[in-house]
Amino acid sequence: MSILVTGGTGFIGSHTVVQLLEKGYDVVIVDNLVNSKKLVLNRIQQISGKMPKFYEVDCCDEEKFRKVFEAEKITDVIHFAGLKSVAESVQKPDLYFSNNVGSSKVLMKLMKEFGVKNLVFSSSATVYGVPDHVPLKETDNVGGCTNPYGQTKLDIEYLLKDFSKENPDMNIAILRYFNPIGAHPSGLIGEDPQGIPNNLMPYITQVAVGKRDHLNVYGNDYKTVDGTGVRDYIHVVDLARGHLCALKKLEQKPGLVVYNLGTGKGTSVLELVSAFEKANFIHIPYVICDRRPGDVDENYADSSLAYEEMGFKTQLTIFDACRDSWNWQSNNPNGYDEGDSNEGVCSKSK
Ligand code: WQD
């Protein structure tokens, strides 16, 4: 009996697979490696002591994806697979809709065909569009997404809600992530963006490791504590644990549930920079620039429903995330591109 994890060699996927293996689940990863490396499998094994089964398959490829369902005894699915660059989605909207929505449609078809009832879906706080208040609750309005990436997540949510109505014996948990940061404390897995990082934390760690000269702070005239953008930064290890809580929740046969996964606290860009400097005794030079199109002033979660209904709340702090992000980046200056060398990795207690 296995948990199928699509996109399981990605940032959040790999951290979730580690915890699934550590909890004794059998894991089958399906990933096309478009935005990740096969080396991640070895790192997962180094951390957990177990090697997950792996199929290099594109979830949009129904014929090949079906063979995985035929070969494996799948009981639950965690669906991470998808393109996730906001900036790229603006340049290539058709690719994002065909890949993200298309792969989800194939997955739903195969789950129904093979009688797989439990699905955890990786959604995003971007489905809330431009919030008119914070913190955000699951019952708040969605829509008005500021980019095609966010729209694909919302479209998939709508597809899942229709799928749930047509198939009332399906159990679906939609998890709306806020801003994932950090890395596994071993320093063996972490965020490995391709090219110039869009997101704040990987850009900070690349400045710290000397790959980037300075951080560009996109705007300091927002209506926030210090004028810079405020977000809800959740440690990826906490976020991964939230998926295991969701799997447990699905055992209660809840039909379809939606949860925000965040800390419930907002942190500004400059507050995160300061926390990183204090956690790692490293100076991060920055330049204040113009606002980035599509950015909002503030965005953070009301995370109480996840606690009330599945007992999930974050345990790790911004300081932990800054320390762990740096441990990953300093031990892997070029991410997973350095081959399987992990000499000098500072293994921290779990
Ligand atoms: C955070 C803050 C920027 C980079 C996106 C997606 C969301 C989720 C997380 C997938 C903002 C500022 C950033 C930089 C900066 N991804 N910033 N300089 O835009 O809140 O959310 O990533 O689910 O769906 O929308 O995250 O890290 O890009 O930006 O000043 O070099 O940092 O303006 O205020 P964002 P981010």
Side-chain angles (χ1 to χ4, degrees):
M1 313 297 258
S2 298
I3 312 289
L4 170 64
V5 180
T6 72
T9 57
F11 176 37
I12 305 164
S14 56
H15 285 81
T16 304
V17 167
V18 161
Q19 292 189 32
L20 289 168
L21 292 170
E22 288 175 336
K23 288 288 184 192
Y25 289 100
D26 289 326
V27 175
V28 174
I29 293 176
V30 168
D31 202 309
N32 65 2
L33 300 178
V34 74
N35 203 14
S36 58
K37 301 284 190 318
K38 204 169 178 182
L39 170 63
V40 173
L41 298 171
N42 302 81
R43 299 292 180 89
I44 288 172
Q45 185 178 35
Q46 278 182 268
I47 296 169
S48 67
K50 298 174 189 169
M51 178 62 87
K53 281 193 178 180
F54 173 70
Y55 292 83
E56 187 175 350
V57 165
D58 185 328
C59 294
C60 293
D61 185 332
E62 182 178 329
E63 190 186 334
K64 288 190 179 150
F65 200 2
R66 176 175 285 105
K67 291 193 184 322
V68 179
F69 279 86
E70 287 166 350
E72 304 293 342
K73 289 187 176 39
I74 307 295
T75 52
D76 308 73
V77 179
I78 305 180
H79 183 35
F80 291 106
L83 298 172
K84 64 165 190 174
S85 164
V86 167
E88 186 185 49
S89 77
V90 174
Q91 307 303 323
K92 303 175 181 173
D94 291 350
L95 172 65
Y96 270 66
F97 281 98
S98 60
N99 184 77
N100 292 3
V101 180
S103 61
S104 300
K105 284 181 172 176
V106 170
L107 174 64
M108 290 150 71
K109 178 178 180 182
L110 293 174
M111 286 184 72
K112 183 163 184 173
E113 190 177 317
F114 287 86
V116 180
K117 306 283 184 202
N118 302 322
L119 171 63
V120 178
F121 173 61
S122 163
S123 190
S124 166
T126 38
V127 301
Y128 292 110
V130 183
D132 53 18
H133 66 279
V134 280
L136 286 162
K137 282 182 173 299
E138 291 84 354
T139 50
D140 281 328
N141 291 335
V142 292
C145 300
T146 57
N147 55 75
Y149 159 79
Q151 190 59 49
T152 67
K153 290 297 186 179
L154 185 56
D155 289 356
I156 297 164
E157 287 199 10
Y158 287 137
L159 284 171
L160 290 173
K161 288 173 180 171
D162 290 342
F163 188 63
S164 174
K165 288 193 188 99
E166 291 158 25
N167 305 279
D169 57 345
M170 283 294 298
N171 302 298
I172 299 172
I174 292 173
L175 305 181
R176 291 175 181 165
Y177 309 158
F178 279 70
N179 289 60
I181 60 170
H184 189 272
S186 66
L188 286 165
I189 55 176
E191 191 167 8
D192 182 23
Q194 313 301 307
I196 300 172
N198 289 303
N199 295 140
L200 180 58
M201 181 58 94
Y203 204 105
I204 289 174
T205 58
Q206 288 194 10
V207 170
V209 81
K211 278 188 84 168
R212 309 281 168 202
D213 177 59
H214 64 275
L215 171 70
N216 297 308
V217 175
Y218 297 139
N220 67 345
D221 57 351
Y222 287 107
K223 292 191 281 306
T224 64
V225 59
D226 58 17
T228 62
V230 168
R231 298 292 184 275
D232 186 334
Y233 296 100
I234 178 172
H235 195 299
V236 66
V237 170
D238 272 335
L239 185 59
R241 184 168 47 83
H243 292 74
L244 275 73
C245 292
L247 282 180
K248 282 284 173 211
K249 178 66 183 175
L250 294 185
E251 289 173 11
Q252 300 165 7
K253 305 200 182 308
L256 184 137
V257 290
V258 183
Y259 299 121
N260 287 337
L261 293 191
T263 66
K265 291 188 286 296
T267 301
S268 77
V269 174
L270 294 183
E271 286 171 335
L272 191 65
V273 168
S274 173
F276 186 90
E277 291 182 323
K278 290 190 175 75
N280 300 303
F281 305 104
I282 296 176
H283 174 58
I284 299 294
Y286 65 83
V287 172
I288 302 290
C289 304
D290 292 339
R291 291 183 175 195
R292 183 172 64 176
D295 274 353
V296 296
D297 298 57
E298 287 194 297
N299 192 356
Y300 58 90
D302 176 326
S303 52
S304 54
L305 191 64
Y307 181 64
E308 287 157 21
E309 294 197 359
M310 58 177 193
F312 172 79
K313 63 179 176 179
T314 54
Q315 297 164 353
L316 297 167
T317 65
I318 290 284
F319 189 91
D320 295 325
C322 290
R323 178 203 60 214
D324 294 335
S325 289
W326 177 236
N327 185 40
W328 150 254
Q329 184 80 84
S330 58
N331 284 291
N332 303 273
N334 294 312
Y336 294 111
D337 284 345
E338 283 175 328
D340 197 7
S341 72
N342 56 58
E343 285 77 33
V345 172
C346 316
S347 57
K348 286 176 173 283
S349 57
K350 287 186 184 134

